[in-house]
Amino acid sequence: MTATMPAELRAAFEEYERAIVADDVPVLDASFAPGPATMRGDHTGLLVGHDAISAFRSGRGGVPPRTIERVEYRPLGEGGDVALLVSTSRYRAGGTGLQTQVWQRIDGRWLITAAHVSPRAQPLDRSIWRTVGDPLRPAAAEGALTGLTVAVKDLFAISGHRIGAGNPTFLDAARVERTTAPAVADLLQGGAAVRGIARTDEFAYSMAGDNPHYGTPPNGALPGALPGGSSSGAASAVATGQADVALATDTAGSIRVPASYQGLWGLRTTHGLVSTHGVLPLAPSFDTVGWIARDGETLQRVVDWSLRGGERERPASDLQDAELPRRFAVPVELLADLDPATLDAFSAFTDALRTQTDSAAHDLCVTDVSLGAPEEFAATFRTLQAAEAWRAHGSWVRRHEGALGAAVAERFRRAAAVTPEEEAEALTVAASLRDRIRRLVLDDVLLLPTVPGPAPSRSAGEFATERTRQATMRLTNPASIAGLPSVTAPLLTVASPLGPAPVGVSLIGRPGSDAALVRLARRLMTSMTQRTEEQ
């Protein structure tokens, strides 16, 4: 170490280093200066404020064993109370890292006021990817999607590979696929290349994005937050720039939730519009194939190719080319599930739309509408999803006791208890609910927040995560039950303990209006962006 470094600063740095390896959270918290101005950044993003850094720390875990090889000290300014430390570290398991810290003497103690960490290089983030290539599968032809790379959720068949479903026991016994799912083949035929197979929550029976076997993928928009699931790895690959498009599935929100949590665009397609052949099922009555992208233009390219072109003939649908009216209906009962910051942001968003209605945009209309009791939708969906999930995987679950993580195992345990009578009753209720929603979208597009609030912290407990899941499903269930297309766009930004966070706004349209719905969402984004720039 540099001889001129103050002894008190050297002691504070060494104490911090011991604490970070041991994951001693109280010492780490005490090492950072209190207040809203303290900063910490790394490859996943920037955290501002001691509270946000503390929330990140509580769920991060310690770093692997390492040795500090070099520390460079530079005093900053006059008085000797501010210093820059740059240190290099070597990990016992190989690789090096770099830490840059600004320390300040505050009330007689040296504390970190800003830090940036460059971790050791990760050739493959196994929390995001099961396997990758350069590419894993090249494009089959030149086309509209040439230049795009795709992260494929680990539920789709790709010839020469196995389906892993987010569970190592299932993967070990899976057969090698002989054919490729049509949804994958269409993208290849359009000129896209498969970058790799991305992680999923176990059997896609979760919304959080955590996986007890492979780890939790990073949230590319909000460091320290859950990524959202079950299309967790694929969404994180897109958010972190490792792929341009995610090919994913959505049963209860598995495209919409991670897209919202990570500031992405996502489309759940009309049920049955895109082939699910070669896709591991969860609940076939609700399973859909869709896509996630970083921007609306890329999503539109994929949608236009896959729904109106592609490798095979599609059923004709004039709605894909027609323009939807800018008539929005807000389901008022669902707003009760929003956290206060998200409710305020969504209210400001709809107020801005209504202001447009009162000015030049005479074709735009925003009204309130009633869907009925959210819990009726939620209870009906839970019953039917559980019954179908047990039919799809119950025999495997019985044969492999202990192979599932606790949360998904508990869901399958409840699924096994659904009786035929309960399922039959739920089917009757679902038919009524489906008709109610489809009548509403004949003339209007439903408009609502995609999720109740920002992505929860990775350190959120099991109870808080489950509570968020239930609240989220009350927002996502209407489109799932009615089999309708739903696009989510990153139109809101709200405060969270981890910093400013994205929250998506969902548009739900009539059956077959998928491409038109994406176009409408893009126009809405453009309109709101222009309004913000003018203010």
Side-chain angles (χ1 to χ4, degrees):
M1 290 188 177
T2 306
T4 56
M5 181 188 300
E8 296 88 348
L9 175 56
R10 181 168 60 247
F13 173 82
E14 292 173 348
E15 181 183 32
Y16 172 80
E17 181 61 25
R18 287 191 296 269
I20 200 169
V21 172
D23 194 27
D24 189 336
V25 174
V27 172
L28 295 173
D29 279 348
S31 298
F32 278 81
T38 303
M39 298 184 293
R40 181 199 182 277
D42 62 19
H43 65 296
T44 65
L46 177 66
L47 296 165
V48 180
H50 185 276
D51 290 347
I53 297 169
S54 180
F56 163 79
R57 285 281 186 213
S58 64
R60 177 174 181 257
V63 302
R66 67 185 186 185
T67 301
I68 299 297
E69 290 193 327
R70 180 180 180 184
V71 179
E72 289 290 332
Y73 159 75
R74 300 290 185 274
L76 299 177
E78 301 292 333
D81 288 333
V82 182
L84 173 69
L85 296 187
V86 180
S87 60
T88 59
S89 52
R90 183 166 299 278
Y91 290 85
R92 189 177 300 170
T96 60
L98 182 73
Q99 298 179 97
T100 303
Q101 301 163 336
V102 175
W103 291 76
Q104 184 174 350
R105 186 155 41 200
I106 302 174
D107 296 331
R109 294 185 59 226
W110 283 98
L111 300 173
I112 301 170
T113 58
H116 181 269
V117 180
S118 298
R120 59 178 172 171
Q122 297 290 329
L124 173 64
D125 186 338
R126 294 194 175 276
S127 71
I128 293 179
W129 297 104
R130 199 193 91 198
T131 184
V132 295
D134 190 24
L136 184 71
R137 185 62 55 88
E142 293 284 324
L145 307 183
T146 295
L148 296 181
T149 57
V150 183
V152 178
K153 185 176 183 178
D154 194 9
L155 298 179
F156 290 81
I158 299 177
S159 62
H161 297 271
R162 295 172 291 164
I163 294 175
N167 183 278
T169 303
F170 186 88
L171 175 64
D172 286 345
R175 63 179 175 83
V176 174
E177 298 295 326
R178 296 182 179 179
T179 59
T180 295
V184 179
D186 273 354
L187 297 177
L188 295 172
Q189 193 65 30
V194 171
R195 177 75 173 93
I197 299 172
R199 299 294 187 193
T200 176
D201 298 14
E202 292 179 284
F203 293 96
Y205 208 177
S206 176
M207 283 187 175
D210 53 347
N211 188 302
H213 310 289
Y214 304 116
T216 302
N219 183 312
L222 189 63
L226 289 169
S230 63
S231 307
S232 50
S236 292
V238 172
T240 57
Q242 300 179 57
D244 300 309
V245 177
L247 175 62
T249 63
D250 188 305
T251 302
S254 290
I255 285 174
R256 292 165 283 169
V257 173
S260 178
Y261 280 3
Q262 302 197 54
L264 303 169
W265 289 69
L267 175 68
R268 170 200 166 86
T269 54
T270 299
H271 186 265
L273 185 62
V274 180
S275 173
T276 55
H277 181 72
V279 182
L280 191 75
L282 176 63
S285 294
F286 307 105
D287 293 345
T288 62
V289 171
W291 310 274
I292 299 171
R294 285 187 296 278
D295 57 82
E297 180 182 4
T298 300
L299 181 62
Q300 192 83 62
R301 284 174 64 188
V302 174
V303 169
D304 288 347
W305 168 261
S306 296
L307 298 188
R308 294 207 301 255
E311 190 177 16
R312 292 165 304 284
E313 294 289 330
R314 296 287 185 201
S317 175
D318 294 337
L319 290 176
Q320 299 297 351
D321 294 312
E323 296 301 323
L324 290 168
R326 296 211 297 172
R327 292 175 48 87
F328 300 107
V330 178
V332 291
E333 297 95 341
L334 298 184
L335 302 186
D337 282 310
L338 306 184
D339 69 25
T342 301
L343 178 60
D344 289 346
F346 183 69
S347 297
F349 171 75
T350 54
D351 287 346
L353 288 182
R354 290 186 172 98
T355 300
Q356 289 187 34
T357 303
D358 294 337
S359 57
H362 299 297
D363 65 329
L364 192 153
C365 176
V366 182
T367 58
D368 293 337
V369 68
S370 174
L371 290 186
E375 188 51 40
E376 184 179 28
F377 285 88
T380 300
F381 182 85
R382 275 197 305 269
T383 299
L384 295 178
Q385 182 192 38
E388 294 192 17
W390 187 252
R391 272 198 294 277
H393 302 297
S395 61
W396 185 92
V397 172
R398 279 202 178 104
R399 294 195 310 272
H400 298 88
E401 185 177 354
L404 292 169
V408 173
E410 174 61 18
R411 270 172 223 131
F412 273 114
R413 186 191 68 77
R414 294 177 183 174
V418 175
T419 66
E421 293 76 17
E422 290 171 334
E423 183 181 8
E425 181 180 355
L427 283 169
T428 301
V429 176
S432 174
L433 297 177
R434 183 180 303 113
D435 291 343
R436 183 191 308 171
I437 300 171
R438 289 196 170 202
R439 285 195 299 270
L440 288 172
V441 298
L442 287 175
D443 300 312
D444 296 326
V445 172
L446 297 184
L447 185 72
L448 68 158
T450 305
V451 293
S457 169
R458 292 163 69 109
S459 62
E462 183 177 335
F463 175 78
T465 301
E466 181 60 23
R467 183 176 57 190
T468 299
R469 179 176 183 269
Q470 296 303 329
T472 301
M473 289 182 68
R474 286 192 284 272
L475 292 169
T476 59
N477 281 165
S480 297
I481 286 178
L484 297 176
S486 179
V487 63
T488 179
L491 286 164
L492 305 180
T493 301
V494 304
S496 82
L498 294 168
V503 172
V505 172
S506 283
L507 284 67
I508 303 173
R510 55 187 183 260
S513 65
D514 307 60
L517 200 63
V518 176
R519 288 196 297 274
L520 178 58
R522 291 180 64 198
R523 289 199 298 273
L524 200 58
M525 172 70 86
T526 299
S527 175
M528 299 310 294
T529 300
Q530 290 174 345
R531 179 184 176 89
T532 300
E533 292 173 347
E534 291 169 358
Q535 291 177 343

